[in-house]
Amino acid sequence: MGKTDLRVLGKMPLNAEPPCLVELTRHPITPLHLAYARNHSVIKDLASEFDSYTVKIDGEMEGMEEKVLNVKDMIASFPKKEVVAVLICAGNRRAKMQETTGKAVRGIKWSEGTIANARWAGVLLRDILISAGVSEQEDDQKGFHVWFASNVAPCEDDACYGGSIPLDEAMAKDGDVMLAYEMNDGPLTPDHGFPLRVVVPGYFGMRWVKWVDQITISREESPNFYQQRDYKMLPECVTSPEKAIDEDWWGRIPAMQRLNCNSVVAHIQCLTPACPDQKTLKVTGYAYAYSSISRVEISADGGDTWHEVRITYQEGSWSWSLWEGELVVDIDTDALEFANHGPKNGRPKTKITVISRAFDRSGSAQDTDCRWNLRGVGFCGVGVGSVEV
Ligand SMILES: Nc1nc2c(c(=O)[nH]1)N[C@H]1C(S)=C(S)[C@@H](COP(=O)(O)O)O[C@H]1N2
Ligand SMILES: [Mo]
């Protein structure tokens, strides 16, 4: 699948992420060979079924009639819309949560690479839903949800893959929720959902249903396992899967939907020092939020003082933000020699840790107090990187 550049965390189904954040963040638009793969089922190659591939649309909303849309006709008859949007797994940074809290989390131990900023093209879901009779009146849409399902393969925990989003999100006049058939200016590849996948800019990846073939309007959220029994930030007191079920925590905690505000340190480079007891560090990373990023800050003293960095890339409303900044750090050489009992291999080394935090356009800050949760989802503690100087 051309995914040889990824670190494979699971072969069957395929789950893999790019191994190097320096390489990942070098590209504003993530090239396909660095786009992570997250699957709860086998990857279906539907190329031979393209001509007959259909999406069924139905629902319990007044005025709707069941519709079966052939994908080829759909692509030909609805306007093409393009959007740059970042796709992020809710389990991104799971390993960091475990490392930071010292408590085991359940799930694939993703590092910080389950994120791909891509250019998507497809048809607006809004246009499709209107053609199926969904009301354009906001009042009529309240309380409804749009279910997406893929029936092409059985999944690990359910007969099909599914999820839902609130209908008003899909119908928003300035929204960009789409059924995409292109990624980075080419047709979707089988692993990213060919021939059709849902793209929900600003929402976590599990709602971006691949190989989508069914759309349903309902007063309830999707009953699918991946909406109801996974992808929820359970409270800290829920320490086992049994407890989650016995005390009905899955039923009580809302499903994760919109991206939280988050930042990650990708790389720290030590620039040539101006004087021996000072180091200039160049720090780079990424950040994202539902309402896009307004500011990112870094600190080399554990958060006592923060320095704003430059946003070097941000595109439209839904992309990730790439950032870079310089920090001048004082090194106490006397203390260093003492701590290391004198220079060993030429000169003593010390480890400098840099942390990051982000702010979004709505004024919210990254929730860096982020706690442990059983499934290790939504981790947004400070971004952390370190370098030996
Ligand atoms: N049909 C289907 N759609 C799916 C999934 C899946 O397992 N099956 N995984 C979801 C999850 S959890 C994520 S994070 C993204 C990953 O998309 P990618 O593999 O294109 O990176 O797809 C989502 N859509
Ligand atoms: Mo995911």
Side-chain angles (χ1 to χ4, degrees):
M1 302 256 139
K3 291 290 180 192
T4 46
D5 300 292
L6 302 183
R7 179 172 76 107
V8 175
L9 287 95
K11 269 197 179 137
M12 202 58 183
L14 179 67
N15 286 298
E17 73 179 317
C20 174
L21 290 185
V22 184
E23 176 63 11
L24 178 65
T25 53
R26 190 172 288 152
H27 311 271
I29 297 286
T30 310
L32 284 190
H33 71 278
L34 293 178
Y36 75 97
R38 175 68 180 116
N39 295 290
H40 293 284
S41 74
V42 295
I43 293 167
K44 282 290 237 188
D45 188 343
L46 301 170
S48 62
E49 285 153 59
F50 179 63
D51 285 343
S52 59
Y53 192 92
T54 57
V55 182
K56 185 172 144 190
I57 302 161
D58 59 9
E60 51 174 332
M61 193 179 215
E62 218 181 283
M64 278 191 79
E65 47 184 290
E66 187 182 307
K67 211 169 165 158
V68 178
L69 270 177
N70 174 279
V71 168
K72 256 178 130 175
D73 297 342
M74 180 163 112
I75 294 171
S77 53
F78 286 88
K80 183 174 178 179
K81 166 89 188 177
E82 270 191 33
V83 69
V84 171
V86 64
L87 167 64
I88 302 164
C89 183
N92 194 37
R93 311 191 71 204
R94 181 177 284 138
K96 259 296 190 266
M97 176 186 284
Q98 180 161 299
E99 191 186 309
T100 310
T101 61
K103 285 169 75 178
V105 293
R106 295 193 172 234
I108 300 169
K109 300 302 176 302
W110 295 116
S111 183
E112 298 177 310
T114 54
I115 177 162
N117 190 58
R119 192 180 304 280
W120 308 94
V123 297
L124 279 177
L125 178 59
R126 178 186 154 77
D127 292 346
I128 303 289
L129 293 180
I130 290 170
S131 81
V134 170
S135 168
E136 290 183 63
Q137 303 302 316
E138 281 171 34
D139 281 349
D140 297 343
Q141 296 161 8
K142 280 205 182 87
F144 282 98
H145 302 265
V146 193
W147 303 359
F148 307 113
S150 168
N151 298 284
V152 302
C155 289
E156 294 164 308
D157 306 284
D158 206 326
C160 66
Y161 188 85
S164 62
I165 63 169
L167 178 61
D168 53 8
E169 193 82 42
M171 295 296 287
K173 293 204 172 69
D174 55 353
D176 292 310
V177 181
M178 61 164 76
L179 303 179
Y181 48 85
E182 283 182 12
M183 180 180 184
N184 292 354
D185 303 312
L188 282 175
T189 54
D191 42 340
H192 294 295
F194 177 86
L196 204 64
R197 93 173 294 168
V198 181
V199 165
V200 193
Y203 272 50
F204 281 109
M206 62 281 187
R207 307 295 171 240
W208 299 38
V209 175
K210 301 188 274 190
W211 316 290
V212 62
D213 57 11
Q214 195 178 351
I215 296 172
T216 306
I217 307 297
S218 170
R219 287 199 178 275
E220 309 289 328
E221 283 194 336
S222 165
N224 192 270
F225 180 92
Y226 300 101
Q227 184 78 24
Q228 299 295 335
R229 296 271 299 274
D230 202 352
Y231 300 114
K232 296 193 177 186
M233 295 174 78
L234 299 173
E236 248 182 316
C237 65
V238 183
T239 48
S240 73
E242 295 74 31
K243 191 164 174 174
I245 293 170
D246 294 348
E247 297 174 8
D248 187 32
W249 284 103
W250 292 117
R252 288 197 262 166
I253 299 295
M256 294 170 73
Q257 299 281 39
R258 292 181 172 189
L259 295 175
N260 49 11
C261 184
N262 215 338
S263 68
V264 160
V265 173
H267 188 51
I268 308 177
Q269 192 191 350
C270 191
L271 304 177
T272 321
C275 48
D277 51 3
Q278 264 192 350
K279 296 281 177 199
T280 303
L281 305 179
K282 186 182 163 196
V283 188
T284 62
Y286 69 73
Y288 57 80
Y290 171 77
S291 62
S292 80
I293 292 294
S294 60
R295 189 166 94 242
V296 179
E297 297 174 344
I298 53 177
S299 169
D301 56 13
D304 287 342
T305 52
W306 290 95
H307 307 264
E308 187 170 351
V309 298
R310 297 180 297 281
I311 307 281
T312 54
Y313 167 82
Q314 198 163 290
E315 187 172 355
S317 306
W318 310 112
S319 80
W320 66 356
S321 300
L322 296 177
W323 55 264
E324 66 177 45
E326 283 83 38
L327 269 182
V328 179
V329 183
D330 293 323
I331 312 275
D332 186 345
T333 29
D334 292 344
L336 209 73
E337 304 225 352
F338 179 74
N340 288 322
H341 307 294
K344 278 184 193 127
N345 302 318
R347 63 182 184 85
K349 291 219 165 210
T350 189
K351 189 168 135 183
I352 300 177
T353 297
V354 177
I355 58 176
S356 67
R357 67 177 184 192
F359 299 82
D360 71 18
R361 274 187 206 287
S362 76
S364 304
Q366 182 174 340
D367 176 17
T368 54
D369 292 331
C370 182
R371 299 284 170 83
W372 176 92
N373 63 68
L374 185 65
R375 290 288 280 109
V377 284
F379 185 63
C380 57
V382 286
V384 185
S386 54
V387 66
E388 295 236 320
V389 297

